[in-house]
Amino acid sequence: MDRLANLLGVQALALTDRLLTAGPGALTELPSSERAALVTLLAHPGQPASSLGDVLGLTSSGITRLLDRLAAAGWVTREKGLDARSRRIGLTPAGRRRARAVLRARQAAMSEVLDRLSADDREELERLLDLVVAGLADARAPALRVCRLCDRAACASAGRGCPLEHTVTPAGVDG
């Protein structure tokens, strides 16, 4: 392994550790799958439970149990889907607040690391990470998995687009 790969691995693990412990009180008690579900539903409301399960890497029974927990907490709603067996999932107002709290905690955790960099260094790191993130997925489903905790508004800020935009087909159909 070369030094760059090693440093990237160290950084990835350390940032993951920070993200898993980010946030005040009950937020840190939320399992990562619950955090990811809330943030994903904030960005993509009304998606079928099966699609959410695919994004989170959960089986049918796993996504059902997760949604049961989120519904019991008052954070999600289940509405009839396209057929009798499917359900579209949405966030309640409390669920949207919780999802935004997850994103704020994530932002705070990342800011602690980035605050050590100069403006020029931050700009260069952003340029390089744009290239790295663009290579993480070539199709929509894997891109949604990569972005399951993404702050979509932050990603598209300052007129920049998502580095994984290439995974969306021109007609908007999953690739």
Side-chain angles (χ1 to χ4, degrees), residues 9 23 26 29 33 44-45 75 78 86 88-89 94 101 105 120 126 128-129 131 147 154 156 158 165 173:
E29 297 169 7
S33 60
H44 304 285
W75 298 332
R78 293 174 173 143
S86 67
R88 297 214 173 264
I89 312 303
D120 288 343
E126 182 178 339
L128 294 171
L129 287 174
L131 296 171
C147 294
E165 193 65 33
V173 178

Side-chain angles (χ1 to χ4, degrees), residues 117-146:
L117 300 178
S118 70
D120 288 343
D121 288 342
R122 290 170 68 106
E123 189 175 311
E124 180 66 4
L125 181 58
E126 182 178 339
R127 185 186 73 74
L128 294 171
L129 287 174
D130 198 88
L131 296 171
V132 171
V133 170
L136 294 176
D138 291 324
R140 191 66 174 157
L144 289 172
R145 179 146 176 76
V146 166

Side-chain angles (χ1 to χ4, degrees), residues 10-135:
V10 167
Q11 170 271 339
L13 184 58
L15 291 180
T16 299
D17 289 345
R18 284 178 182 259
L19 288 173
L20 291 174
T21 59
L27 189 56
T28 58
E29 297 169 7
L30 282 180
S32 59
S33 60
E34 291 183 15
R35 293 183 197 193
L38 292 170
V39 171
T40 299
L41 288 168
L42 183 65
H44 304 285
Q47 67 178 287
S50 60
S51 295
L52 181 61
D54 291 344
V55 168
L56 300 178
L58 296 174
T59 63
S60 178
S61 60
I63 193 65
T64 298
R65 287 189 303 273
L66 172 66
L67 292 173
D68 286 346
R69 290 191 307 272
L70 295 176
W75 298 332
V76 299
T77 60
R78 293 174 173 143
E79 298 175 9
K80 186 175 180 179
L82 298 175
D83 61 44
R85 296 179 310 167
S86 67
R87 296 286 178 260
R88 297 214 173 264
I89 312 303
L91 292 176
T92 64
R96 285 190 292 280
R97 285 190 299 275
R98 183 57 65 149
R100 289 185 193 106
V102 169
L103 290 174
R104 282 191 304 274
R106 182 175 179 263
Q107 171 65 36
M110 296 299 95
S111 291
E112 289 176 9
V113 174
L114 295 174
D115 284 347
R116 299 172 189 215
L117 300 178
S118 70
D120 288 343
D121 288 342
R122 290 170 68 106
E123 189 175 311
E124 180 66 4
L125 181 58
E126 182 178 339
R127 185 186 73 74
L128 294 171
L129 287 174
D130 198 88
L131 296 171
V132 171
V133 170

Side-chain angles (χ1 to χ4, degrees), residues 142-175:
L144 289 172
R145 179 146 176 76
V146 166
C147 294
R148 67 190 179 275
L149 281 170
C150 183
D151 183 336
R152 271 64 172 191
C155 194
S157 67
R160 294 185 176 102
C162 172
L164 291 169
E165 193 65 33
H166 65 277
T167 65
V168 178
T169 60
V173 178
D174 290 349

